[in-house]
Amino acid sequence: MRTILAILAIALVMTGCSGKNNAQTQQQNKAEPLCTPVPVRHAEWEEQAKAIAAKVDGIDEVAAVQIDNDLNLAIKVSNFNRFKLQSIEKEVAGKLKTAFPDSKVHVTSDKKLFMDLQSMSGTPWPTDVKEACQKKKAAKELEKKMKG
């Protein structure tokens, strides 16, 4: 009787440990879909996008971040120009879509998102892959907030 219990206990311990190891190795081997190609920030395209948006009448300030093919742009509009805010956003989005046909363009005039994008554009892009992946995730979160 003792030998049967000992064999069952050993079998349970062995199967329990192997299941945890498999789960851990699967999580480690599983690559992040956002980071499969290493995320790249295109600062020169950001500057071009800022210049294009700044030419539109009524815009006071512009913040832009382009990671891979996602261009996130926030505009600051003040005074009476806020009355035609939607038309300004559409005009900026149209100009950017023609200038960057391969990019997904997202334009917002939300003040909090403007500050977030401005701080993100002011920080240098990390060389570490994990940090770059985290920055891309943060940009994706901002993108979700832009869509409403």
Side-chain angles (χ1 to χ4, degrees):
M1 184 74 169
R2 291 183 196 175
T3 57
I4 294 173
L5 287 175
I7 292 172
L8 284 174
I10 292 171
L12 286 173
V13 168
M14 290 177 65
T15 58
C17 292
S18 66
K20 289 180 183 176
N21 286 338
N22 286 340
Q24 288 175 350
T25 55
Q26 285 176 355
Q27 283 181 341
Q28 290 172 353
N29 292 338
K30 186 178 170 183
E32 295 265 349
L34 285 176
C35 302
T36 306
V38 178
V40 178
R41 183 170 166 194
H42 304 282
E44 65 277 355
W45 294 349
E46 291 174 9
E47 294 303 319
Q48 289 177 2
K50 287 180 185 179
I52 291 169
K55 291 179 184 176
V56 175
D57 289 336
I59 294 180
D60 299 329
E61 246 180 292
V62 181
V65 173
Q66 174 144 3
I67 300 173
D68 294 334
N69 64 343
D70 293 320
L71 174 61
N72 299 318
L73 189 117
I75 56 175
K76 187 182 258 187
V77 179
S78 61
N79 298 335
F80 288 106
N81 294 323
R82 300 228 21 111
F83 290 121
K84 47 185 185 168
L85 191 61
Q86 288 182 342
S87 63
I88 291 173
E89 281 184 16
K90 286 181 182 179
E91 184 180 351
V92 169
K95 287 184 177 188
L96 291 175
K97 285 179 183 177
T98 57
F100 302 100
D102 296 334
S103 297
K104 297 175 192 167
V105 177
H106 307 280
V107 178
T108 186
S109 60
D110 185 83
K111 291 179 182 179
K112 178 161 180 8
L113 294 176
F114 176 82
M115 290 188 310
D116 291 343
L117 267 178
Q118 194 173 33
S119 68
M120 187 180 284
S121 69
T123 58
W125 189 250
T127 56
D128 183 40
V129 177
K130 288 184 180 181
E131 289 179 28
C133 186
Q134 289 175 347
K135 291 277 190 177
K136 184 170 182 176
K137 286 180 183 178
K140 284 289 184 185
E141 289 297 318
L142 285 176
E143 205 172 285
K144 286 180 187 176
K145 290 177 184 177
M146 284 183 186
K147 294 178 183 176

